[in-house]
Amino acid sequence: MPNSNAKFNCNHRGGQEAGRRELVSRSLQSAQHCLEDQDFGTAYAHYLLVLNLAPELKTSVKETFQFTLFKWAEELDSLSRIQDLFNCYEQALELYPNDEVICNSMGEHLFRMGFRDEAAGYFHKAVKLNPDFADAKENFYRVANWLVERWHFIMLNDAKRNLTYLKAIENAVRSGCKSVLDIGTGTGILSMFAKKAGASFVYACELSKTMYELARDVVAANNMEGDIKLLHLKSLDIEIPKHIPERVSLVVTETVDAGLFGEGIVESLIHAWEHLLLQPK
């Protein structure tokens, strides 16, 4: 009896495998016929089935799958089926999470629809995956021009202003402020000033996804990624001990510009004073 059961199980598994191969083969043929008929939606559905049943084929069908996805996405876009379009890209990125071409294409759709911060995230990921991907680099720089306000560049090149901040932060740290929170860190320059001045703990928050990613790159390029904790958060949403372990002894920010009141910086500073900053005894 045991030998009979083993033989049955073996035959059963063999039958399942044969059935899987047959279904994959037929789906591939159907997908090809649909592409010839320019029925991209049905072809896309067939490829999803194939890749879920036979993940070992991911490499061999990758380019055809990309072509099908992009064509189907164009149709969905023209029909204003935006949620369906995004669902397709999410499915594709589940299958190919590290595909720079799909990431870049997703970013292009998001950018055209006005979701520039989200688009920048996908362009940035595409460039990270392939630094030589020219289209992704061009797209990232283009969207960065929309998102990174010009005053960032002006401030970064204002040596007198930066030196003033550096001296003020150095004086505060030397006087005993060993934990620092940088609100609206931007490129992370004030956080790095604080760390170089000798602060033991430095936290930085940035609401913009693009600026947050930029700050991560800048901090990493300066070998400080292990010394500065970057938070993709609005300062009003920072909680103790969820995001930072305890109140800090110094809050720094350079978000004071013409947008002082419109950007809610007053509320952010009040919140920091009341909830995140150590109170004088």
Side-chain angles (χ1 to χ4, degrees), residues 265-279:
I265 188 59
V266 173
E267 291 83 353
S268 295
L269 293 175
I270 292 173
H271 174 77
W273 171 261
E274 293 178 345
H275 301 287
L276 306 175
L277 190 64
L278 285 170
Q279 299 299 309

Side-chain angles (χ1 to χ4, degrees), residues 117 147-149 151-152 181-189 191 203-216 229-238 253-255 263:
D117 208 7
L147 294 171
V148 181
E149 294 87 346
W151 52 266
H152 271 290
L181 172 63
D182 180 4
I183 294 178
T185 192
T187 58
I189 187 170
S191 294
Y203 312 98
C205 64
E206 175 57 54
L207 181 59
S208 165
K209 178 69 172 175
T210 303
M211 294 306 300
Y212 167 76
E213 295 289 355
L214 179 60
R216 288 182 60 185
K229 182 176 181 180
L230 288 165
L231 302 167
H232 182 215
L233 284 173
K234 190 175 183 179
S235 62
L236 294 172
D237 295 329
I238 295 177
T253 184
E254 58 176 343
T255 50
E263 293 183 359

Side-chain angles (χ1 to χ4, degrees), residues 113-281:
M113 293 173 191
F115 300 106
R116 296 191 176 103
D117 208 7
E118 293 83 353
Y122 281 97
F123 294 145
H124 184 264
K125 182 178 180 180
V127 173
K128 282 285 190 181
L129 290 167
N130 182 0
D132 297 324
F133 190 5
D135 287 349
K137 286 198 290 187
E138 181 180 344
N139 284 332
F140 181 70
Y141 295 145
R142 178 161 54 104
V143 75
N145 283 331
W146 283 89
L147 294 171
V148 181
E149 294 87 346
R150 293 298 174 186
W151 52 266
H152 271 290
F153 301 109
I154 296 173
M155 287 194 303
L156 287 173
N157 288 283
D158 188 339
K160 183 177 180 181
R161 175 192 177 97
N162 293 336
L163 184 59
T164 301
Y165 267 108
L166 175 60
K167 288 183 178 297
I169 291 172
E170 285 177 341
N171 289 337
V173 171
R174 287 169 184 165
S175 68
C177 295
K178 295 301 183 182
S179 56
V180 181
L181 172 63
D182 180 4
I183 294 178
T185 192
T187 58
I189 187 170
L190 298 189
S191 294
M192 291 187 291
F193 283 171
K195 193 61 194 177
K196 287 182 177 179
S200 301
F201 306 99
V202 181
Y203 312 98
C205 64
E206 175 57 54
L207 181 59
S208 165
K209 178 69 172 175
T210 303
M211 294 306 300
Y212 167 76
E213 295 289 355
L214 179 60
R216 288 182 60 185
D217 287 346
V218 172
V219 168
N222 285 273
N223 299 314
M224 291 187 181
E225 62 268 40
D227 300 318
I228 299 172
K229 182 176 181 180
L230 288 165
L231 302 167
H232 182 215
L233 284 173
K234 190 175 183 179
S235 62
L236 294 172
D237 295 329
I238 295 177
E239 299 177 16
I240 297 172
K242 182 178 180 180
H243 301 114
I244 61 177
E246 58 188 1
R247 287 174 178 257
V248 298
S249 52
L250 176 66
V251 171
V252 297
T253 184
E254 58 176 343
T255 50
V256 181
D257 71 334
L260 173 63
F261 297 100
E263 293 183 359
I265 188 59
V266 173
E267 291 83 353
S268 295
L269 293 175
I270 292 173
H271 174 77
W273 171 261
E274 293 178 345
H275 301 287
L276 306 175
L277 190 64
L278 285 170
Q279 299 299 309
K281 296 179 180 180

Side-chain angles (χ1 to χ4, degrees), residues 84-96:
D84 289 334
L85 184 152
F86 288 147
N87 288 342
C88 286
Y89 273 95
E90 288 175 3
Q91 292 167 336
L93 286 170
E94 285 180 7
L95 292 166
Y96 296 97

